[in-house]
Amino acid sequence: MATTAVDQLRETVRGPIIGPNDDTYEQTRRVYNAMIDRRPALIVQCANAGDVMAAVRFARESGMDLAVRGGQHSVPGFGTVDDGLVIDLSPMRSVRVDPVERTARAEGGANWGDFNAATHAFGLATTGGIISTTGIAGLTLGGGIGHLARSCGLSCDNLVSADVVTADGRFLTASEREHDDLFWALRGGGGNFGVVTSFEYRLQPVDTIYGGPMFYELRDAGTMLRFYRDFIREAPEQLGAFPAFQIAPPLPFIPESRHGDTLFMVVACWSGPLDEGERMLRPFHDVAPVVAELVGPMPYPVLNAAFDALLPPGLQHYWKANFVRELTDAAIEAHLVHGPRLPVVNSTVHIYPIDGACHRVAPDATAFAYRDANFATVIAGMWPDPADNEANIRWVREYYDATAPHSEEGGYVNFMADDDQGRVRANYRGNYDRLVEVKRRYDPDNLFHLNQNIKP
Ligand SMILES: Cc1cc2nc3c(=O)[nH]c(=O)nc-3n(C[C@H](O)[C@H](O)[C@H](O)COP(=O)(O)OP(=O)(O)OC[C@H]3O[C@@H](n4cnc5c(N)ncnc54)[C@H](O)[C@@H]3O)c2cc1C
């Protein structure tokens, strides 16, 4: 690569270009999962869509491997690459809310903390992730599961349009009206089709919610899981609630004597009328005694950031995932064997409900195909010490192996590991061939291949 070509790129773009000789390189090359230790040749910190267009053209013409980074939360580390070029969108985080139309336009480097803070000021929200530091880009492009999914649908179901830089360096707007094939593929198809420089979302009135975490004794986990399975099916859609296994963190609302104990947990988010919140969550108190809880009215962004401290950047991550139609007694038995074996406080298993509004979208209406799944399970291994990698990865794999026979073939792309590339076709079911067609139209040479890849 001639230095002059890089110099020309430097003169073209507004944002900084960082390479191995720069002081900020070590810091900038890092991604959220500390297990990923890659050394890109160039990191283009894009200031605007024009920078993205220039960087995409440069990568294509130079033949460099290209990674695209939004919120950098990809567990397999798809947002970076050895010796290649990283398009880093982190400087592009603005969010503009239109309170009259109830929409928000957010740049591709924003995270859910940026997004929720901006929309909450207007008493509005849409489905986003449950941790505020996750990027809106990767999460929305893979589907988007969160507290509001039962009432608002997936994040991608609330997408109105997206500005995209495609592999040939063109800038397109994709929506139901323009490039509708691309718009279809972006809603679940991941980062396969181009760099999204901004997302336009439909918003719903969600302001103060009633909810929070409730902890139970492990011996009640089976009772709670069976209760939860039946209860959530009939519960109003404004109730988001997911069960989890969780080691009690040292938080003031948990008795000190219980810190470090492995417990069962339900995290609830009632986004209906506030004065109905207590009644809605009462059944969760009637089935088994609650050991500790932090439940009450809170601004939606507060719940969205409630677990951030448990998950700082710099942990080791290895995750596996499944879609589940029925949480059968046999599946629950598998959870009861492996959930209590949680190795460290950061690791967890969440079983997210994805019924309600998610089911009202036809399986072929967007790329996200599993519209009949009732739950998305994530077995999230997260731990601080690389010396523990083997033990933690083994825990995730054994848990996954035990629950896989009770789950669907596919898993949610955003929760899958990089050794799951073989499951990509299964994830998209009948939509896969159409995704390949769109990929051939917009990225025939697979420039955007660092993702759960749909090969052209
Ligand atoms: C702590 C944690 C909590 C999570 N919680 C949830 C949750 O509640 N719900 C949920 O659904 N998922 C959740 N996830 C999974 C999350 O959706 C994925 O990790 C997602 O890919 C992260 O997106 P990102 O932009 O932060 O990541 P990045 O690493 O920046 O990117 C992820 C993928 O998206 C591509 N990409 C990023 N930005 C763009 C863009 N602007 N245009 C095109 N492609 C792009 C990248 O190339 C890469 O393939 C969580 C992940 C973590 C680590």
Side-chain angles (χ1 to χ4, degrees):
M1 179 183 40
T3 316
T4 51
V6 179
D7 288 344
Q8 273 173 15
L9 181 65
R10 230 180 265 284
E11 280 162 22
T12 313
V13 298
R14 183 76 179 149
I17 298 181
I18 294 161
N21 297 328
D22 291 299
D23 293 345
T24 51
Y25 179 74
E26 283 305 317
Q27 182 61 30
T28 314
R29 76 179 181 88
R30 278 197 204 120
V31 290
Y32 180 78
N33 180 359
M35 206 186 279
I36 310 294
D37 182 23
R38 300 198 181 125
R39 305 186 67 81
L42 295 175
I43 303 170
V44 184
Q45 296 202 296
C46 296
N48 53 43
D51 285 4
V52 176
M53 291 158 80
V56 166
R57 283 199 197 108
F58 181 88
R60 200 192 56 234
E61 283 161 16
S62 65
M64 286 176 92
D65 236 1
L66 175 64
V68 180
R69 183 191 300 174
Q72 61 158 269
H73 267 209
S74 163
V75 169
F78 291 138
T80 184
V81 60
D82 274 331
D83 306 320
L85 183 147
V86 173
I87 291 183
D88 176 5
L89 295 166
S90 60
M92 295 173 59
R93 296 167 76 136
S94 83
V95 182
R96 184 184 188 280
V97 179
D98 181 335
V100 177
E101 293 296 322
R102 288 188 178 165
T103 57
R105 181 170 281 288
E107 286 187 299
N111 66 26
W112 288 104
D114 300 323
F115 188 88
N116 292 333
T119 62
H120 184 71
F122 299 93
L124 299 168
T126 192
T127 306
I130 66 146
I131 300 294
S132 80
T133 52
T134 305
I136 63 161
L139 186 138
T140 303
L141 293 170
I145 295 170
H147 296 297
L148 303 178
R150 294 187 75 233
S151 58
C152 300
L154 303 171
S155 307
C156 72
D157 298 338
N158 293 286
L159 202 59
V160 179
S161 72
D163 287 342
V164 191
V165 176
T166 49
D168 52 10
R170 275 187 304 161
F171 177 88
L172 307 176
T173 298
S175 71
E176 294 286 4
R177 293 178 310 281
E178 303 167 81
H179 306 289
D180 58 337
D181 52 348
L182 180 59
F183 188 56
W184 174 85
L186 290 175
R187 287 173 291 164
N192 274 284
F193 305 96
V195 186
V196 179
T197 55
S198 82
F199 296 81
E200 185 190 2
Y201 297 88
R202 210 174 0 259
L203 303 174
Q204 307 293 336
V206 174
D207 195 334
T208 299
I209 58 88
Y210 190 95
M214 293 167 273
F215 285 90
Y216 302 85
E217 298 291 356
L218 260 190
R219 63 170 176 272
D220 292 324
T223 309
M224 285 305 300
L225 276 170
R226 283 184 289 274
F227 155 75
Y228 169 80
R229 164 189 69 190
D230 301 333
F231 178 79
I232 201 74
R233 187 183 298 148
E234 305 296 332
E237 289 178 3
Q238 295 110 312
L239 184 67
F242 65 86
F245 287 92
Q246 179 69 56
I247 293 177
L251 294 173
F253 75 93
I254 301 174
E256 219 175 308
S257 60
R258 303 308 304 269
H259 293 175
D261 287 358
T262 303
L263 299 173
F264 182 78
M265 177 175 78
V266 173
V267 181
C269 174
W270 166 251
S271 57
L274 254 196
D275 57 2
E276 291 175 19
E278 197 177 339
R279 184 173 62 80
M280 276 302 148
L281 298 198
R282 199 169 303 140
F284 288 98
H285 296 82
D286 293 343
V287 179
V290 172
V291 173
E293 66 178 340
L294 189 63
V295 168
M298 60 181 92
Y300 171 68
V302 170
L303 182 63
N304 180 244
F307 302 99
D308 288 6
L310 268 180
L311 301 172
L315 298 174
Q316 315 285 308
H317 288 253
Y318 182 78
W319 296 19
K320 287 248 176 228
N322 271 324
F323 286 122
V324 177
R325 255 218 305 241
E326 299 300 333
L327 199 52
T328 60
D329 287 343
I332 288 175
E333 284 311 312
H335 282 288
L336 295 178
V337 171
H338 293 272
R341 294 183 187 163
L342 274 175
V344 289
V345 67
N346 317 87
S347 289
T348 191
V349 177
H350 291 175
I351 306 174
Y352 296 108
I354 48 168
D355 57 341
C358 308
H359 281 198
R360 283 197 293 280
V361 178
D364 60 357
T366 66
F368 190 98
Y370 267 94
R371 298 294 182 167
D372 56 351
N374 285 305
F375 304 101
T377 308
V378 61
I379 305 160
M382 309 185 267
W383 62 99
D385 189 348
D388 298 332
N389 285 6
E390 202 190 319
N392 281 278
I393 291 172
R394 194 180 330 115
W395 171 72
V396 174
R397 287 192 172 141
E398 287 176 359
Y399 201 140
Y400 171 76
D401 288 345
T403 48
H406 313 291
S407 309
E408 301 299 301
E409 200 186 346
Y412 175 40
V413 279
N414 275 347
F415 291 158
M416 296 197 325
D418 59 355
D419 54 19
D420 278 320
Q421 291 270 342
R423 294 173 71 207
V424 171
R425 180 185 278 271
N427 172 70
Y428 291 111
R429 289 173 150 174
N431 290 340
Y432 188 77
D433 290 343
R434 189 170 159 197
L435 280 164
V436 173
E437 276 172 37
V438 181
K439 179 79 173 171
R440 283 182 187 149
R441 214 167 296 146
Y442 290 94
D443 185 18
D445 300 322
N446 209 4
L447 182 68
F448 303 109
H449 66 99
L450 292 171
N451 40 48
Q452 296 292 1
N453 196 225
I454 295 160
K455 294 194 173 45

